[in-house]
Amino acid sequence: MSRPGVRVLSALALVTGSSLTFQVALTRTLAAQLAYHYGFLAISLSLLGIGAAGLYVYARPTWFERRSVEINMATWSLIYAALLVVLALVIVRLHFSQGYQSGAGPSGNFAWTLALATVLAALPAFASGVVVTLAIRSYSAAIGSVYSADLVGAGIGALISVPAMAIIKPPALLVGLGVVVAAAALLFAASGAGAARMRWTAGVGLVTAVVLFTLSLTTGLVAMPRNYFTGNHISVSEKWTPLSRVLGYKVGPGRGSGGAIVYDQAWAPVPAVVNGKLPNWKDLSLGPQSVGFSLERGGRALIIGGGGGRDIYNALSSGIGNVDVIELNAAIRDLVDHQLGSFSGSPYSRPHVSTSIGDGRAVLARRSTKYNEIHIGFTDTLSADSAEGFALTESNLYTREAFEEYFDHLDPNGILSVSRLRHLVGPEAVRVTVLALGALQHRGISNPERNVVVLRGHDLLGSEFETVLARLRPWTPAELDALKTLAAQRNSSVMFAPGGPYDAEWATIHTQGWQTFCKSYTYNVCPPTDDQPFFFSMRKLGSILNPPAGAPKNDPVTILLVTLLTLLGCGLVAFAAPLVLLRRSGGAPSASSLVFFGAIGLGYLLTEIVLIQRFVLFLGFPTYSLSVVLFALLTFSGVGAYMTPRFGLNRRVLLIGLTSAIGVLVVLAFALQPLLAALIRQPFALRLLVSVVVIGGVGFLLGLAMPIGIHRLEAQFATAIPYAWAVNGLASVVASVLGVAIALFLGFRVATLCGALCYVVAALHAAVGRWSSPIAADEPPAPLAEAPVPVG
């Protein structure tokens, strides 16, 4: 087979770029319908289709020998394009029963619907996997260029996916990707036997995809229902962002005033301003939260997460002179202030209110302002899925380091006020209390209980919540008297205060001390850190099979472990079945020859997961981290793959690359977080440059392994390349869940070291494994044009 030209490599890059964008857009689409952990399950299982594609090509090679490789890739690209369109049209019409919400297990109807969504999502992944596997198998003599096109295409897909979702609704973007993939089919079909007919078919497919994409943008073809509220709630507006789908509602006649916003599976009330009068704590049902504001009347407050404007109005009506707001999602601010502005009073843009968009902690870190109060009321970060799902996502607002950042930005008598529900995924307010005590003690305060007060109240729906008030100086007796008087006037109970009272779990915290309490308590309420920023994950590992009373039936940690076990089982079956059932005379690879590809697949994804998390705060926005990390890592891995044949496809180059990568990963495990913390206040351009340099350097080294591994395998088992590619893909999918599990229970540093360990396994395999090649293992390679042509 001749080496692929620019046309084929460009078409391959379009396919791989669309594949990554497809995953991101599908994740965003499912998040608008499902709690995070169920969307995570669906995406993880659907990506098995990529590995299955490699096994399919390996098991049925003769099915791809009747036509040229370019016509085969064009055919499967058209199938991929068609499946993307079908997926978009169907997924928005699936009705996911709300039985999975808090306190109830999933219904049978929900389980079947989720299974259908998973299968539908796996089909495009399978088709795209066939295209890439065919390219890797058929052009293995030019593996550096082919693998480079694969990675660079995915990197570009990562770069454009976030801005694309800022312009195009994710369901419509799925249809738009069908246009891109149909164009790739047309490029593949530009030459070869049977090309004329395939070009005509691809042209028809392209035109059809363009028409459907146009309809998706201009009609309700892929519109999703807005059925979160019933009765007199009237849907006013819908906004999609890379973070979430945001819906705005107003209350119709006969139901009072106000409205609500819904962002994915979470919601917040939008209070109304009637006759110019701001709603107060009583109107807002925020008595405990108003106490801190009232103690600091006339001062300056920071609100992290404005929601529907309740906290802004609570601060202003309580006498706060100036309010700074940091809102993660610009669509929430715009919808509340504009589309709902006729009754909301536009809280984000009122006089004496200043609003910034970004990650609350990242924005605050670059400020020198001192506040009288920093307030965080029921705020969830990174994406707007339900709180239950956040057990599987990091929450950088609720870590010991975050609380120390807040304390650094308070004036000497300033108050940190944090409100959480009494019990959703666990005792959230109890964990906030322990977190505040731990952060204060870490700052050298020997008796932090003197600095913390906890108040209990009831929200608009009657649910109990607590507000934790913490400060750097101990509360004085006079301040405590004033605080308790305000609490009594505002229907709030004092649960924990210096000198008492001490009620419920807070009584045990007082008698045992917070360290002993957090170790012995039923739930994990010990202070999260930046290395393990999973505030909402409160299930201890030993309680997975025996959940504590009150734990939600659809516990996300349990779903995570079930997903991991499912993927491991599928991966092991997929790894072993071809060796047992499809062994060919002299052509089947040994199990040990595939270990290398599994190890680098695991190691690469573990590294990717950690880097995405680490750079959220540094770059100041979660979507920036997603785009920059994936773009830099994949693109520079592609550069490394492209350069590998120039360095030499031999053992020496592979070992140098792997040992260098191992060393860099070990250093990053310990040094990356301090480095980013030291540079976080630098200008964005410098932070972006540092990010690209660090991530790109890692990516370049990691990109060396695959081309040399494929070249080595081809000399031993020429027909096994698709099999090896499948093992690598399956390992990558397993790693996407395994990385979360490791970080959840052991931290991101350990996850990084596990990634390094995977590359240690790959290096040992390269060092002691067999190298059967037409060139000496430690000699420079012959020119690529002289390399043997792969079978098939």
Side-chain angles (χ1 to χ4, degrees), residues 302 304 326 328 356-368 381-382 396-397 402 405-406 409 614-622 624 679-682 684 687:
L302 171 67
I304 298 179
I326 304 176
L328 181 67
S356 301
I357 301 299
D359 178 90
R361 186 175 160 197
V363 173
L364 180 62
R366 290 186 287 278
R367 291 183 178 176
S368 58
T381 60
L382 292 190
N396 289 306
L397 291 182
E405 186 78 56
Y406 306 147
H409 284 82
R614 290 298 198 195
F615 280 87
V616 169
L617 282 177
F618 187 64
L619 292 172
F621 211 75
Y624 290 173
L679 297 176
I680 195 170
R681 292 175 175 81
Q682 299 302 314
F684 179 75
R687 286 182 281 122

Side-chain angles (χ1 to χ4, degrees), residues 474-484 498:
W475 295 95
T476 66
E479 289 170 334
L480 287 172
D481 288 341
L483 187 152
K484 291 176 181 178

